[in-house]
């Protein structure tokens, strides 16, 4: 596929939308005109910490661009000349984690870019010979290549789960490419050595799927049951989020990617040292194993009902050496924080931009 191709989506768009009540209330922190624009996209009734259910607005056409080893699928919102914000999803989620965040930021004049990570959606490897590698460093390299392809020198970067780890890596290793950072669950850069350390039993229990994926039965089971498996993860990771089938199904389409299972399994096996990485990334992984500090302005977020494994905020605060703030988001907010509390996530992007740097 050539650079800049528009990709027609199959089954991604729903006509369902949410609207504000006729009271005329506006979103806190947004002007009347901005709130009207958000209402037209169906996100105007979202308050900080409010759980969401049901599909809201959708994105414009998915674009494709060759970047590094991949042809990356992505969506955009907002003015083409606005300050760039790149938003990164995790597993088992996709670009729709930011479907309600994007119009809020676009209304503030930001150019929002949301790519599918390797193994998701319309992102494809350019060569069938490329190793289907899911180690932490390569996902960050993918995003740097993506920025290069789009001729973006510097961006505010935000994410959760794999996306937060990727954003953390870029902020730590390539601070010249990251204007500011919003990271759900904080500092997530790891190493294979750290992955070998035993954890308390309750914590190990939270990682049950990692041990399942370490087996061939687990690989086959995930491949066979990837939709039911992913829905279970959503329920465990966000126990108070009342998402409906339409919301899940819209994202589940992205797991049809032919490389999805290989990337997911390699990612989790690599963490435990059960799968090898590529030698060309050894120097970068060695640097990441040293837990490099993050010096760019940063805000970290944590939901009060996150059922997925996550570190306590006081364990990583000292890794952020620039202007920094942490916010706990109340209201039964789980692991998929941008989709469950989009206004809180969007406000963090706006606020961290004001930190300077």
């Amino acid at each position: 596929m050539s650079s800049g191709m528009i990709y027609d989506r199959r089954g991604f768009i729903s006509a369902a939308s949410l609207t504000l009540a006729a009271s005329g209330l506006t979103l806190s922190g947004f002007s009347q005109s901005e709130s009207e624009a958000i209402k037209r996209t169906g996100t105007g009734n979202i308050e900080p910490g409010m759980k969401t259910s049901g599909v809201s607005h959708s994105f414009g056409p998915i674009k494709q661009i060759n970047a590094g080893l991949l042809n990356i699928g992505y969506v955009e919102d907002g003015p083409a000349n606005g300050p760039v914000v790149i938003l990164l999803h995790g597993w088992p989620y996709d670009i729709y984690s930011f479907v309600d965040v994007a119009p809020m930021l676009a209304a503030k004049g930001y150019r929002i870019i949301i790519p599918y990570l390797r193994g998701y959606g319309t992102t494809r490897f350019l060569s069938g010979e490329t190793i289907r590698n899911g180690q932490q460093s390569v996902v960050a390299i993918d995003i740097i290549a993506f920025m290069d392809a789009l001729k973006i020198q510097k961006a505010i970067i935000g994410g959760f789960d794999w996306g937060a780890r990727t954003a953390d890596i870029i902020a730590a290793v390539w601070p010249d490419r990251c204007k500011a950072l919003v990271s759900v669950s904080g500092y997530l850069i790891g190493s294979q050595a750290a992955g070998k350390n035993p954890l308390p039993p309750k914590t190990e229990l939270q990682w049950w799927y990692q041990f399942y994926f370490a087996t061939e039965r687990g690989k086959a089971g995930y491949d066979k049951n990837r939709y039911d498996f992913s829905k279970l993860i959503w329920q465990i990771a966000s126990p108070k989020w009342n998402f409906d089938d339409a919301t899940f199904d819209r994202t589940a389409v992205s797991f049809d990617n032919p490389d999805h299972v290989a990337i997911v399994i390699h990612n989790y096996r690599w963490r435990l040292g059960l799968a090898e990485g590529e030698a060309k990334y050894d120097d970068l992984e060695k640097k990441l194993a040293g837990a490099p500090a993050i010096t760019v302005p940063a805000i970290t977020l944590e939901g009060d009902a996150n059922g997925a494994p996550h570190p306590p905020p006081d364990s990583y605060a000292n890794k952020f050496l620039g202007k920094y703030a942490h916010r706990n988001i109340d209201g039964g907010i789980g692991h998929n924080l941008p989709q469950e509390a989009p206004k809180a996530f969007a406000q963090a992007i706006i606020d961290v931009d004001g930190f300077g740097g």
Side-chain angles (χ1 to χ4, degrees):
M1 299 178 188
S2 62
S3 174
M5 181 182 292
I6 303 298
Y7 200 97
D8 290 332
R9 288 168 296 163
R10 176 176 56 84
F12 270 36
I13 300 176
S14 171
S17 64
L18 303 174
T19 58
L20 269 178
S23 62
L25 295 175
T26 62
L27 285 157
S28 173
F30 293 83
S31 70
Q32 178 69 35
S33 61
E34 290 163 343
S35 296
E36 288 299 321
I38 292 168
K39 281 192 284 182
R40 286 195 296 272
T41 64
T43 59
N45 62 338
I46 298 167
E47 295 298 333
M50 182 180 291
K51 299 184 290 297
T52 59
S53 169
V55 297
S56 55
H57 91 294
S58 191
F59 292 116
I62 293 179
K63 301 179 179 180
Q64 300 290 138
I65 192 167
N66 290 342
L69 300 173
L70 302 170
N71 179 265
I72 295 179
Y74 68 102
V75 293
E76 290 193 69
D77 199 355
N81 61 348
V84 178
V85 176
I86 295 176
L87 301 176
L88 305 174
H89 68 83
W91 171 83
Y93 306 95
D94 79 336
I95 60 174
Y96 280 97
S97 288
F98 303 102
V99 71
D100 295 318
V101 171
M104 294 179 181
L105 294 176
K108 285 290 190 179
Y110 291 97
R111 178 189 179 192
I112 315 305
I113 303 175
I114 312 170
Y116 284 111
L117 301 186
R118 57 169 57 194
Y120 295 82
T122 62
T123 292
R124 298 288 188 273
F125 285 89
L126 294 172
S127 171
E129 302 302 314
T130 304
I131 297 172
R132 273 36 179 178
N133 182 349
Q135 70 185 101
Q136 64 177 350
S137 59
V138 300
V139 185
I141 290 172
D142 289 345
I143 302 305
I144 293 295
F146 178 63
M147 292 175 68
D148 289 344
L150 290 175
K151 297 180 171 55
I152 296 169
Q153 175 56 36
K154 202 167 191 176
I156 300 168
I157 305 177
F160 74 105
D161 196 84
W162 290 21
R165 178 175 297 107
T166 301
D168 289 346
I169 292 171
I170 294 171
V173 178
W174 296 283
D176 59 317
R177 309 302 299 272
C178 183
K179 179 181 179 183
L181 169 72
V182 172
S183 178
V184 177
S185 297
Y187 188 92
L188 298 178
I189 299 173
S191 69
Q192 287 184 311
K196 294 177 181 179
N197 294 328
L199 300 170
K202 287 185 178 180
T203 306
E204 295 282 22
L205 180 61
Q206 289 184 303
W207 285 110
W208 65 271
Y209 55 87
Q210 184 168 247
F211 298 106
Y212 180 65
F213 288 162
T215 68
E216 287 305 299
R217 174 178 172 176
K219 180 179 179 180
Y222 184 59
D223 191 12
K224 180 179 179 180
N225 303 298
R226 68 183 79 176
Y227 306 113
D228 289 342
F229 195 103
S230 296
K231 182 176 280 190
L232 176 62
I233 294 295
W234 278 36
Q235 292 165 342
I236 293 172
S238 299
K240 297 185 178 182
W241 182 30
N242 298 315
F243 64 89
D244 61 12
D245 287 343
T247 298
F248 175 77
D249 292 345
R250 182 175 58 178
T251 284
V253 177
S254 70
F255 309 149
D256 286 335
N257 185 295
D259 303 304
H260 178 74
V261 173
I263 295 297
V264 170
I265 296 300
H266 186 269
N267 177 282
Y268 286 102
R269 289 184 179 181
W270 179 87
R271 297 188 199 193
L272 296 176
L274 301 177
E276 294 185 359
E278 294 180 74
K280 61 184 176 181
Y281 304 121
D282 285 353
D283 287 345
L284 178 53
E285 290 293 352
K286 184 177 180 180
K287 185 172 186 177
L288 296 176
I294 292 173
T295 58
V296 305
I299 292 177
T300 56
L301 304 172
E302 189 59 78
D304 64 336
N306 186 358
H310 61 278
D314 59 2
S315 71
Y316 54 71
N318 64 354
K319 302 306 298 181
F320 296 91
L321 303 185
K323 188 170 182 180
Y324 169 69
H326 176 78
R327 298 174 181 176
N328 292 310
I329 310 302
D330 297 327
I333 304 303
H335 190 59
N336 187 5
L337 191 149
Q339 197 165 2
E340 297 176 60
K343 186 170 183 289
F345 190 91
Q347 193 62 55
I349 293 287
I350 294 166
D351 291 346
V352 80
D353 186 24
F355 281 7

